[in-house]
Amino acid sequence: MAFLDLVSELTGTLPGLSPILASTYINRALQKIYGERTWSFLLTDGVLVCPAQFTSGTAAITQYATTVTLDATASAALLAQTLPGATPGVLQLQMRFGAASPAAGPVYAILACDATNPAALLLTLSQPVQDATTAAAAYQIYRCYVTPPIDDFLRWESIVDPSNAITLTGTRLTRSAREFDLRDPQRSSQGLAYHLGAWGGNRTADPVTGLTSPNATADAGTPIYELWPHPTTGQTFLCRFRRKGEALVAPQDTPPAILSDALILQAALYAYAYPFAMANVANFPSFKHANWPMLIAAARNEYRTELLDAKRADNESQLQDVWNLGHGLRTARPFGRFGEMPYPLDANFLQSHLIRF
């Protein structure tokens, strides 16, 4: 059922409820349902591109300034990343300075790029430059800070670099920048990345202009992740991740097919619409003489029934539930780090070995 039809049915079930409020309740109900489990339709994929580092030419820097000017050679090397549609784009890259690669200086995010003069690109950095003033500083530009590929991102499931046979799963996805600070405070480990750590949240750097940092293209509050070792040789990652679930916006938008109309409407009724009516009996004559607690309880029971049906259908499509975690002897990975049997097993082998499933 389309968004407009859901709103119409909700306002028809509760006369006096405004369509604007009904649309809000429908979307709140959807978010409530999205949070009930890890639905299969909220698992999707994307791509993270980390280009090979840029080191050609030099940069003119002034200590404690936030702008940097690249020379003609460096500008020519980076120019393609300033064009519309570039992947990942200059504003997704970071910069640091040093006499040798790997540079030992701080990592600065690039917040803006002025390409008025293509032979002398002017970069605005996220922090004042701490390095000494020089007209010809060696530099590195690469991408070590990444943002999720989608707005309603929830969490990573796996990240794979097929070209280099590198897989980031489990603890390789749950590191933090604090751990990287302990292991590699200068971030001198560079080359191929095989860990991802939580760096923090994107923040509003300038309340007047609304400029955000360290990623000027993402909203404030967007999670920022750091790849480590810093990827300087060029890597393309194929990602699988969970989504929070999108709201319905256009009248023709439809919810995921596995969620029944009754499930969404009952969630909206018991959690939002009926409590609203009960709290506003004095303001709406049509809301009087109804047993709202009983209606709320009935809608909640119907919601739970519909939710179980939806979960069952989701498991039939793609199993999401873990039915049996097993006892203590079955918690480890029995066949190495991949937890898979490398060869066929017969009954004799199973009966003569302690196998943990």
Side-chain angles (χ1 to χ4, degrees):
M1 186 180 290
F3 185 29
L4 180 61
D5 297 327
L6 289 170
V7 171
S8 299
E9 185 167 342
L10 185 58
T11 54
T13 303
L14 189 61
L17 183 68
S18 74
I20 295 177
L21 198 55
S23 63
T24 300
Y25 288 164
I26 290 294
N27 274 314
R28 287 181 182 174
L30 267 178
Q31 293 301 318
K32 178 179 179 63
I33 296 168
Y34 291 154
E36 290 284 0
R37 67 182 270 123
T38 52
W39 299 95
S40 62
F41 57 81
L42 293 179
L43 179 63
T44 186
D45 58 2
V47 178
L48 290 175
V49 177
C50 297
Q53 66 176 341
F54 300 90
T55 58
S56 302
T58 60
I61 62 175
T62 301
Q63 192 174 36
Y64 307 131
T66 57
T67 56
V68 173
T69 303
L70 303 184
D71 69 2
T73 303
S75 297
L78 192 63
L79 187 60
Q81 288 293 324
T82 68
L83 302 177
T87 302
V90 66
L91 301 187
Q92 303 294 330
L93 304 177
Q94 291 75 48
M95 188 175 196
R96 61 195 310 194
F97 308 100
S101 180
V107 178
Y108 308 96
I110 300 175
L111 300 185
C113 176
D114 184 352
T116 304
N117 182 358
L121 296 182
L122 181 65
L123 306 180
T124 301
L125 305 183
S126 58
Q127 297 175 358
V129 174
Q130 302 301 309
D131 304 79
T133 300
T134 177
Y139 72 93
Q140 288 181 286
I141 291 180
Y142 54 82
R143 189 185 191 191
C144 59
Y145 298 152
V146 297
T147 54
I150 202 165
D151 290 338
D152 62 331
F153 172 85
L154 180 60
R155 72 168 185 265
W156 302 105
E157 289 283 326
S158 65
I159 298 178
V160 176
D161 173 6
S163 297
N164 297 289
I166 295 175
T167 300
L168 280 63
T169 57
T171 56
R172 290 192 176 191
L173 287 178
T174 58
R175 304 294 184 186
S176 69
R178 176 180 177 274
E179 292 182 71
F180 301 154
D181 290 342
L182 292 172
R183 291 186 179 192
D184 184 15
Q186 290 186 320
R187 297 302 193 271
S188 58
S189 295
Q190 299 182 359
L192 295 174
Y194 45 86
H195 288 283
L196 183 77
W199 182 88
N202 212 32
R203 66 183 187 278
T204 302
D206 189 336
V208 177
T209 63
L211 184 67
T212 54
S213 175
N215 191 309
T217 64
D219 294 335
T222 300
I224 306 293
Y225 298 89
E226 182 179 1
L227 288 162
W228 184 84
H230 284 183
T232 55
T233 59
Q235 286 178 274
T236 298
F237 297 97
L238 306 181
C239 314
R240 292 186 62 78
F241 52 91
R242 295 278 178 180
R243 303 176 60 179
K244 295 177 182 177
E246 289 184 307
L248 304 179
V249 179
Q252 67 272 17
D253 287 351
T254 56
I258 208 165
L259 305 181
S260 67
D261 300 334
L263 173 63
I264 299 169
L265 289 168
Q266 294 302 323
L269 286 170
Y270 103 78
Y272 308 107
Y274 284 163
F276 168 80
M278 184 169 60
N280 289 274
V281 168
N283 301 322
F284 295 86
S286 60
F287 291 170
K288 295 179 180 180
H289 312 300
N291 189 338
W292 295 113
M294 183 185 71
L295 290 173
I296 291 173
R300 182 187 294 113
N301 290 335
E302 182 65 22
Y303 166 74
R304 290 172 176 169
T305 300
E306 292 288 341
L307 182 62
L308 285 175
D309 290 341
K311 289 181 177 181
R312 187 179 302 110
D314 196 35
N315 281 330
E316 292 290 343
S317 174
Q318 298 185 46
L319 184 63
Q320 302 295 308
D321 287 334
V322 178
W323 297 109
N324 187 359
L325 293 176
H327 54 70
L329 294 178
R330 298 177 179 175
T331 56
R333 291 179 175 177
F335 303 104
R337 61 192 179 111
F338 298 109
E340 298 175 353
M341 294 176 287
Y343 42 80
L345 302 181
D346 59 10
N348 179 62
F349 183 92
L350 293 174
Q351 293 176 27
S352 59
H353 294 78
L354 176 62
I355 302 300
R356 302 183 295 265
F357 290 100

